[in-house]
């Protein structure tokens, strides 16, 4: 009929169509008038005094009717525009409102109210049908939280009272940002934790927001509620432990003349980080320093002793459901096993890779330098010895026993490797990477032509085109059940199609990542210093955690969030060094440099490139 007579439905959601008739005159005024009536306490007081009026309103509003027509009518009413409640600014519709008599003692003046409504069950049922919050329940409390988030209310007392009342309602926040952190706004539960690490260095390096600092003053009821939705402590998150340990290592690695700090946290000098690094790593991996502390050993090994070591925790994201996988993927990508320095003149700590570390030595090596870096010497003490052994040997695949033959082979390979010393003065090291190897009697250091190796890599680089799709051929197969990896081009990072290509292994869906213009500019500038054309590189994602640059000039996609984390914690120079080391490793793999000379090859490249990079510092920043 509307089409026949040229009419238009009276719908508050109506939009003028391009080329169509304008909204009939009076629509907006009619809707505002209807919204004004339905938010008038005087109207509802009069309606409550007449059973006929209430019956009429229930009938015309289709109260509790679930038919399509009734739901359309309800949606019409809920979207009616209303005049701004006293003290509020912005645009409101009927379903935004709260009943003042019910919510004012909870929210004070923060919420938009409808007031002077009689305590009549039929009236409140009609208002509730129109979307007005008329009683304190889970739905209305979450609605109040969302209103606080959207209108930037930052009153901790207000939101803490809502959290307390939500306790016991069966509320599950999911991934929604509903937890207020001063200075950060509303965050999701995965970004928050109740209390910090109890190890000082890990506390300073942790990225999670600590709610205890803000909400403990509101009483145990608020703490009880919050800890049902967020973690009690970060020790129960394998991801949080690994990321804090990575940042602690990076802080100890940076220029000793600079102190680093994360916004809102105390600064960390490299000397301080190095001095506390081994105790922090030991605590993260094995020590039960505090009664409620749950570390990586307990997270990954769990019930190996027939005892349930982990208390129930709120449901977390997928990456924390299998802690052993999370830990392995972190440790396999970089050196994270920390042991104290050995003897006079050594660094304060040494950082070992999974393939370098070993649990204990054969009886013939007891008392030798090999025993000094055995993990059992430093980690195999206390009540968790068996679980710690299983963590290193089963989760991280560390060698259980180092034999004499293996030790001699390691020493001989080290003796034949290139030993790089950077030019210029070098201060005392705070940490070093790799084992401290004793010289094997009778062996001679055979120098390697490092310049020729670098020249050969660049000759091959200059003949290379851009990364291509297809299978790997010579690289080891990460999973024998799946066969060789097949790389597929799935998109770009930064500047759309003019950015850096993104590849994925075996059709896996990569996480949502992109590069900002400064991030892209820094990486492209570093490529120029290394002599790499920007079309020769790409980012790649492999969910198995295996190295992506065995055959192609790939940078791992997970480097992006790690670089951002590092820059926020350790500063600009640290992130420049981070990307430079990844490019050097990529060129090392391109040249198929033997493992014995890999570290020296990367060091030579960095010696050639880093001085020019830091001289151009102002251009980067």
């Amino acid at each position: 009929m509307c089409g026949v007579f040229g009419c238009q439905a009276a719908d508050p959601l109506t939009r003028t169509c391009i080329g169509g008739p304008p909204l009939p005159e009076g629509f907006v005024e009619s809707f505002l008038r209807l919204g004004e009536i339905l938010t008038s306490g005087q109207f509802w007081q009069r309606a409550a005094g007449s059973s006929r009026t209430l019956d009429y309103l229930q009938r015309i509003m289709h109260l509790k009717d679930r038919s399509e027509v009734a739901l359309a009518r309800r949606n019409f009413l809920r979207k009616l525009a209303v005049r701004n409640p006293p003290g509020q600014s912005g645009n409101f519709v009927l379903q935004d409102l709260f009943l003042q008599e019910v919510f004012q003692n909870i929210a004070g003046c923060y919420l938009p109210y409808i007031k002077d409504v009689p305590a009549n069950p039929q009236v409140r049922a009609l208002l509730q049908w129109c979307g007005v919050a008329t009683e304190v329940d889970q739905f209305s409390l979450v609605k109040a939280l969302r209103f606080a988030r959207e209108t930037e209310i930052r009153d901790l007392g207000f939101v803490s009272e809502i959290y307390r009342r939500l306790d016991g309602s069966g509320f599950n926040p999911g991934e929604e940002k509903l937890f207020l952190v001063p200075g950060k706004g509303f965050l999701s539960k995965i970004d928050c934790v109740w209390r910090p690490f109890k190890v000082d260095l890990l506390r300073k390096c942790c990225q999670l927001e600590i709610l205890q600092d803000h909400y403990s003053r509101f009483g145990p009821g608020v703490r009880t509620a919050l800890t049902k939705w967020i973690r009690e402590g970060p020790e129960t998150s394998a991801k949080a432990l690994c990321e804090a340990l990575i940042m602690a290592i990076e802080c100890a690695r940076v220029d000793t003349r600079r102190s680093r700090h994360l916004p809102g946290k105390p600064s960390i000098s490299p000397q301080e980080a190095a001095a506390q690094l081994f105790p922090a790593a030991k605590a993260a991996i094995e020590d039960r320093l505090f009664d409620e502390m749950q570390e990586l050993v307990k997270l990954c090994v769990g019930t190996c002793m027939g005892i349930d070591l982990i208390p129930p925790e709120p449901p977390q994201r997928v990456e924390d459901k299998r802690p052993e996988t999370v830990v392995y993927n972190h440790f396999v990508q970089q050196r994270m096993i920390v042991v104290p320095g050995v003897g006079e003149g050594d660094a304060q700590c040494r950082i070992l890779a999974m393939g370098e570390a070993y649990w204990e030595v054969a009886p013939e090596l007891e008392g030798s330098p090999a025993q000094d870096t055995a993990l059992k010497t430093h980690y195999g003490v206390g009540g968790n010895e068996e679980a710690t052994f299983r963590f290193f040997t089963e989760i991280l695949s560390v060698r259980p026993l180092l034999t004499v033959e293996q030790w001699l082979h390691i020493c001989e390979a080290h003796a034949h490797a290139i030993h790089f010393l950077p030019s210029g003065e070098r201060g005392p090291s705070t940490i070093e990477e790799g084992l401290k190897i004793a010289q094997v009697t009778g062996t001679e250091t055979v120098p390697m032509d490092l310049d020729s190796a670098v020249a050969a890599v660049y000759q091959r680089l200059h003949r290379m085109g851009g990364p291509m799709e297809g299978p790997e051929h010579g690289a080891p197969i990460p999973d024998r059940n799946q066969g060789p990896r097949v790389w597929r081009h799935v998109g770009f990072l930064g500047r759309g199609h003019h950015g850096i290509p993104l590849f994925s292994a075996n059709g896996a869906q990569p996480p949502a990542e992109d590069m900002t213009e400064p991030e892209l500019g820094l990486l492209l500038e570093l490529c120029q210093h290394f002599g790499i054309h920007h079309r020769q590189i790409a980012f790649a994602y492999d969910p198995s955690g295996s190295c992506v640059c065995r055959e192609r000039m790939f940078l791992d996609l997970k480097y992006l969030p790690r670089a951002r984390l590092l820059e926020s914690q350790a500063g600009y120079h640290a992130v420049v060094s981070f990307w430079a080391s990844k490019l050097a490793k990529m060129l090392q793999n391109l040249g198929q440099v033997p493992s014995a000379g890999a570290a020296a090859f990367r060091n030579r490249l960095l010696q050639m490139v880093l001085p020019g990079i830091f001289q151009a510092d102002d251009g980067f920043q």
Side-chain angles (χ1 to χ4, degrees):
M1 293 299 290
C2 289
V4 172
F5 293 103
C7 301
Q8 191 167 342
D11 184 348
L13 306 179
T14 298
R15 297 288 183 270
T16 302
C17 300
I18 298 176
L23 285 176
E25 188 175 347
F27 263 31
V28 175
E29 290 78 2
S30 299
F31 296 150
L32 283 174
R33 178 59 180 157
L34 180 56
E36 184 177 358
I37 291 172
L38 293 178
T39 55
S40 167
Q42 186 178 14
F43 167 78
W44 290 108
Q45 289 173 9
R46 290 179 178 177
S50 169
S51 59
R52 291 181 61 189
T53 301
L54 290 176
D55 290 341
Y56 169 77
L57 289 172
Q58 290 177 7
R59 186 170 61 257
I60 202 67
M61 290 184 182
H62 297 277
L63 183 65
K64 297 182 180 181
D65 187 350
R66 296 293 175 180
S67 66
E68 184 177 349
V69 173
L71 293 178
R73 178 67 56 85
R74 184 180 70 167
N75 190 47
F76 168 91
L77 294 169
R78 291 185 171 198
K79 298 294 184 181
L80 280 172
V82 300
R83 298 191 186 278
N84 290 350
Q88 299 288 340
S89 60
N91 299 318
F92 293 92
V93 294
L94 192 57
Q95 67 179 0
D96 293 332
L97 303 184
F98 295 77
L99 201 60
Q100 184 178 40
E101 288 78 6
V102 175
F103 287 91
Q104 189 164 27
N105 66 327
I106 299 174
C109 62
Y110 288 122
L111 298 179
Y113 293 122
I114 175 174
K115 60 181 181 179
D116 300 328
V117 174
N120 183 300
Q122 290 178 284
V123 168
R124 296 199 174 186
L126 288 166
L127 284 171
Q128 190 175 40
W129 184 251
C130 295
V132 178
T134 60
E135 58 184 38
V136 179
D137 55 17
Q138 178 182 322
F139 179 83
S140 62
L141 291 170
V142 174
K143 174 181 170 180
L145 271 181
R146 290 170 178 156
F147 179 82
R149 180 185 64 201
E150 292 162 7
T151 56
E152 299 185 352
I153 295 172
R154 298 294 184 259
D155 189 326
L156 289 177
F158 167 44
V159 296
S160 64
E161 178 63 16
I162 295 179
Y163 298 144
R164 188 184 67 79
R165 289 175 179 263
L166 278 171
D167 184 22
S169 67
F171 169 62
N172 181 2
E175 301 295 318
E176 190 174 359
K177 296 181 178 181
L178 292 175
F179 299 97
L180 177 60
V181 178
K184 300 293 180 67
F186 284 84
L187 303 179
S188 65
K189 68 179 183 181
I190 58 177
D191 299 317
C192 304
V193 70
W194 175 252
R195 61 165 178 80
F197 282 106
K198 294 195 173 182
V199 178
D200 184 61
L201 182 59
L202 297 180
R203 181 189 305 118
K204 293 177 181 177
C205 293
C206 182
Q207 295 289 302
L208 299 176
E209 296 297 331
I210 310 302
L211 298 191
Q212 173 183 291
D213 297 341
H214 310 296
Y215 289 95
S216 58
R217 69 179 186 268
F218 296 108
V222 175
R223 170 179 177 164
T224 299
L226 287 172
T227 52
K228 287 183 178 179
W229 308 312
I230 65 169
R231 293 184 182 276
E232 172 77 19
E235 295 88 354
T236 54
S237 169
K239 183 173 182 288
L241 276 163
C242 288
E243 290 184 349
L245 182 55
I246 288 170
M247 290 311 305
I249 292 171
E250 295 295 342
C251 288
R253 215 182 241 137
V254 298
D255 187 346
T256 56
R257 294 167 297 180
R258 299 173 181 266
S259 294
R260 314 299 185 193
H261 81 283
L262 194 66
K265 299 194 177 183
S267 62
I268 311 169
S269 69
Q271 296 88 342
E272 176 191 2
Q276 299 180 31
L277 184 56
F278 174 68
K282 185 175 174 65
I285 290 175
E286 182 252 333
D287 278 350
R288 188 168 187 136
L289 298 180
F290 306 94
D291 290 341
E292 64 269 39
M293 190 175 192
Q294 309 292 337
E295 328 75 6
L296 289 177
V297 167
K298 298 174 180 61
L299 285 169
C300 298
V301 181
T303 59
C304 72
M305 314 286 275
I307 302 171
D308 185 9
L309 298 172
I310 307 296
E313 282 289 333
Q316 300 296 321
R317 290 193 299 182
V318 173
E319 65 255 34
D320 270 3
K321 289 186 176 179
R322 295 193 62 189
E324 65 276 15
T325 303
V326 177
V327 172
Y328 181 85
N329 286 341
H330 279 84
F331 276 74
V332 77
Q333 292 297 323
Q334 57 188 311
R335 289 181 168 95
M336 287 179 61
I337 301 174
V338 183
V339 295
V342 179
E344 185 177 354
D346 196 10
Q348 288 181 278
C349 290
R350 288 191 165 271
I351 316 300
L352 308 181
M354 288 161 44
E356 295 170 325
Y358 46 89
W359 177 252
E360 62 181 331
V361 298
E364 299 86 347
L365 291 173
E366 291 180 0
S368 72
Q371 189 176 23
D372 294 334
T373 48
L375 298 181
K376 184 177 181 180
T377 305
H378 309 290
Y379 291 92
V381 293
N384 294 324
E385 184 172 345
E386 181 181 345
T388 306
F389 168 75
R390 291 188 59 181
F391 170 77
F392 280 115
T393 59
E394 296 180 15
I395 305 301
L396 299 186
S397 302
V398 165
R399 185 182 300 157
L401 180 70
L402 181 72
T403 65
V404 174
E405 292 77 12
Q406 291 168 337
W407 176 245
L408 290 175
H409 176 75
I410 291 171
C411 293
E412 289 171 2
H414 182 266
H416 288 76
I418 313 100
H419 301 290
F420 166 75
L421 286 175
S423 59
E425 294 296 326
R426 181 182 177 187
S429 300
T430 54
I431 65 171
E432 294 284 353
E433 294 189 353
L435 296 166
K436 183 176 182 181
I437 306 298
Q439 181 70 37
V440 179
T441 305
T443 62
E444 297 180 358
T445 300
V446 179
M448 183 176 177
D449 191 348
L450 188 56
D451 293 333
S452 297
V454 172
V457 167
Y458 277 100
Q459 285 180 4
R460 185 176 180 187
L461 177 66
H462 293 155
R463 296 193 298 266
M464 287 188 63
M468 302 291 290
E469 291 187 328
E472 290 184 339
H473 301 289
I477 300 174
D479 188 341
R480 299 187 183 277
N481 296 324
Q482 294 184 3
R485 288 186 297 196
V486 178
W487 293 106
R488 299 297 181 199
H489 182 218
V490 296
F492 292 89
L493 297 179
R495 298 181 186 171
H497 291 281
H498 300 288
I500 299 179
L502 173 62
F503 287 75
S504 178
N506 302 323
Q509 178 65 35
E513 287 287 356
D514 204 353
M515 298 185 74
T516 64
E517 190 64 28
E519 290 172 339
L520 181 61
L522 171 61
L523 186 56
L524 296 181
E525 193 73 30
L526 287 173
C527 286
Q528 283 188 344
H529 281 273
F530 275 91
I532 302 170
H533 193 279
H534 69 273
R535 296 197 181 278
Q536 293 179 304
I537 67 167
F539 277 90
Y541 171 70
D542 184 349
S544 73
S546 300
C547 178
V548 300
C549 60
R550 292 193 181 106
E551 290 188 353
R552 289 166 168 81
M553 297 276 284
F554 281 164
L555 293 167
D556 202 312
L557 184 63
K558 69 175 178 295
Y559 293 161
L560 280 173
R562 191 176 298 169
R564 293 174 189 133
L565 188 67
L566 178 60
E567 185 170 18
S568 68
Q569 171 65 42
Y572 169 76
H573 287 85
V575 79
V576 170
S577 300
F578 173 82
W579 283 119
S581 68
K582 301 306 179 186
L583 292 173
K585 181 180 178 182
M586 192 167 62
L587 291 175
Q588 166 210 318
N589 288 344
L590 175 66
Q592 298 178 345
V593 177
S595 58
F601 179 87
R602 293 196 303 270
N603 286 338
R604 174 57 63 89
L605 282 177
L606 293 174
Q607 181 191 26
M608 293 165 54
V609 173
L610 281 178
I613 290 174
F614 288 118
Q615 285 174 8
D617 195 334
D618 293 338
F620 286 140
Q621 299 189 61

